[in-house]
Amino acid sequence: MQLLLLHLDDALELQPDFVRACKFAGAYQYFGKNAGQQVRLWSKQGALDDLSREIVKNRPTTGKTPQLSFMGSGDFHHITALLLDDALERQSSAATLIHFDNHPDWVKFDGGLHCGSWVNSALANSNVQKVITIGVCSHDLRSPERKGANLHWLADGKLELYPYEHPPSRVVGDYGNGASYRQERGALHWKSIAEIGEENFIDHMLSRIRTEAVYVTIDKDVLAADDAVTNWDQGRMRLPYLLSLISEIGSRHRIIGADVIGDYSIPSYAGSLRTQFMKRAEIFIDQPRMRQGAETTRNINSAANHALLEVLAEYME
């Protein structure tokens, strides 16, 4: 396994104990805070392509060695699309994307990628057999069409979404029934983890992965506030359960790549005044403003990162 610390903000630098552990494990680091200010929250495709080339150019030669990346705030989740494309190019095999998140990241977004739109890019890759999104609790599932959700992936069977817990989602379109939902009277009724039961869900999830290869992306906002401090509203999954899901996947499938995001950092943007204003307006509306203290934030996030590094490293050798 090749370990990458992708410094697009200061989130990882604020966890020196975790950085030391990664360096001891042979990690290489890419420092791109200027690029991070450009691409944070959303970016045009050109800037993302430039960042992707820089990451590839500066990493050690890895061949088909799977890469595990830690990359700071969840505001950078669209970088997963770049890392996924690279992993699939090096592996040249069909894969299932396992996506742990409190948000579905499925909105339509023209002219680039948004941290809430990147799943569409992943599903456009011909080597992605399916995306399985796990753990959503957020309001994004309330009237999702009105919020720009690209729900046709559900109807096509390319996307399965299992909330941790959520009431039915009101919709206007006809999406039929899928592996993770049924439609009744203008609403999508989800098969949630809470409804299925945590232990039963493990077996159900494994039955839905039809490829040998998987890519795993983890946004720590899927976790309850006791287990992570993020820039976004958070879900209800507990860290031990997340670790058990990863272990079950890794023991049965080949993890060709993985990334972890969801560490809190103070937002900093570059670009035109209009772009900066629009991004700040978006987070004012969408992101909560109450935070833990700096020391508590560091301790909680570092502990989660250590645990995720340990379990992922075990299955990405």
Side-chain angles (χ1 to χ4, degrees):
M1 179 194 77
Q2 178 64 61
L3 182 57
L4 165 64
L5 300 183
L6 187 55
H7 296 282
L8 299 175
D9 58 8
D10 62 357
L12 298 176
E13 292 177 22
L14 295 174
Q15 302 172 46
D17 182 63
F18 177 65
V19 171
R20 280 194 298 270
C22 290
K23 290 169 71 175
F24 182 77
Y28 78 99
Q29 303 182 73
Y30 174 79
F31 293 89
K33 290 185 182 178
N34 289 336
Q37 291 177 342
Q38 291 283 345
V39 305
R40 186 164 185 156
L41 206 62
W42 78 71
S43 175
K44 293 184 178 180
Q45 192 61 48
L48 291 169
D49 291 342
D50 290 342
L51 176 59
S52 181
R53 283 191 290 268
E54 286 297 307
I55 294 172
V56 171
K57 184 174 70 175
N58 286 280
R59 78 175 178 210
T61 302
T62 59
K64 293 188 176 183
T65 302
Q67 178 174 273
L68 169 59
S69 306
F70 287 81
M71 53 180 174
S73 169
D75 289 356
F76 297 109
H77 209 167
H78 45 314
I79 307 305
T80 292
L82 312 181
L83 301 175
L84 172 65
D85 286 348
D86 179 62
L88 290 170
E89 185 177 335
R90 289 186 288 114
Q91 295 290 333
S92 301
S93 60
T96 301
L97 173 62
I98 310 296
H99 170 211
F100 295 100
D101 207 320
N102 192 41
H103 307 88
D105 292 352
W106 58 9
V107 301
K108 302 166 188 174
F109 186 80
D110 295 328
L113 279 180
H114 192 287
C115 64
S117 79
W118 67 271
V119 165
N120 295 296
S121 176
L123 283 164
N125 189 309
S126 61
N127 281 330
V128 173
Q129 194 266 338
K130 184 194 301 181
V131 173
I132 301 177
T133 298
I134 299 170
V136 178
C137 293
S138 70
H139 295 335
D140 291 346
L141 295 185
R142 289 185 183 175
S143 303
E145 294 162 318
R146 183 168 53 84
K147 297 173 183 175
N150 212 350
L151 297 182
H152 80 84
W153 297 116
L154 289 171
D156 293 346
K158 291 273 287 181
L159 172 65
E160 297 178 18
L161 186 145
Y162 299 94
Y164 191 88
E165 187 174 18
H166 206 281
S169 300
R170 305 300 302 180
V171 293
V172 175
D174 182 6
Y175 303 99
N177 297 319
S180 60
Y181 71 96
R182 71 183 190 280
Q183 183 165 359
E184 292 182 5
R185 300 177 183 176
L188 304 182
H189 295 255
W190 305 101
K191 296 180 181 178
S192 69
I193 296 173
E195 177 185 284
I196 297 172
E198 286 190 348
E199 289 302 316
N200 292 334
F201 177 74
I202 292 175
D203 291 332
H204 180 76
M205 173 195 66
L206 294 172
S207 75
R208 301 306 303 163
I209 304 173
R210 306 294 172 80
T211 59
E212 178 208 9
V214 298
Y215 185 101
V216 178
T217 180
I218 301 160
D219 188 336
K220 291 193 296 183
D221 68 19
V222 76
L223 296 171
D226 286 343
D227 293 323
V229 182
T230 80
N231 285 91
W232 294 85
D233 54 301
Q234 293 181 221
R236 301 176 190 173
M237 190 178 292
R238 297 310 304 266
L239 180 60
Y241 185 60
L242 174 59
L243 298 175
S244 69
L245 290 171
I246 296 169
S247 295
E248 294 290 347
I249 293 167
S251 64
R252 291 166 175 80
H253 296 272
R254 181 169 56 93
I255 301 179
I256 62 170
D259 62 73
V260 178
I261 63 164
D263 291 288
Y264 178 77
S265 68
I266 297 173
S268 179
Y269 307 111
S272 68
L273 290 176
R274 179 176 182 273
T275 295
Q276 294 183 52
F277 174 79
M278 290 175 64
K279 289 185 176 184
R280 292 191 180 280
E282 180 174 332
I283 67 168
F284 180 81
I285 294 170
D286 289 342
Q287 294 184 356
R289 285 172 285 284
M290 294 295 292
R291 294 292 166 207
Q292 302 270 17
E295 183 178 2
T296 301
T297 295
R298 180 185 68 244
N299 292 341
I300 290 175
N301 284 339
S302 182
N305 282 340
H306 277 286
L308 289 165
L309 172 60
E310 182 177 356
V311 72
L312 285 164
E314 180 179 353
Y315 295 107
M316 294 177 66
E317 297 178 349

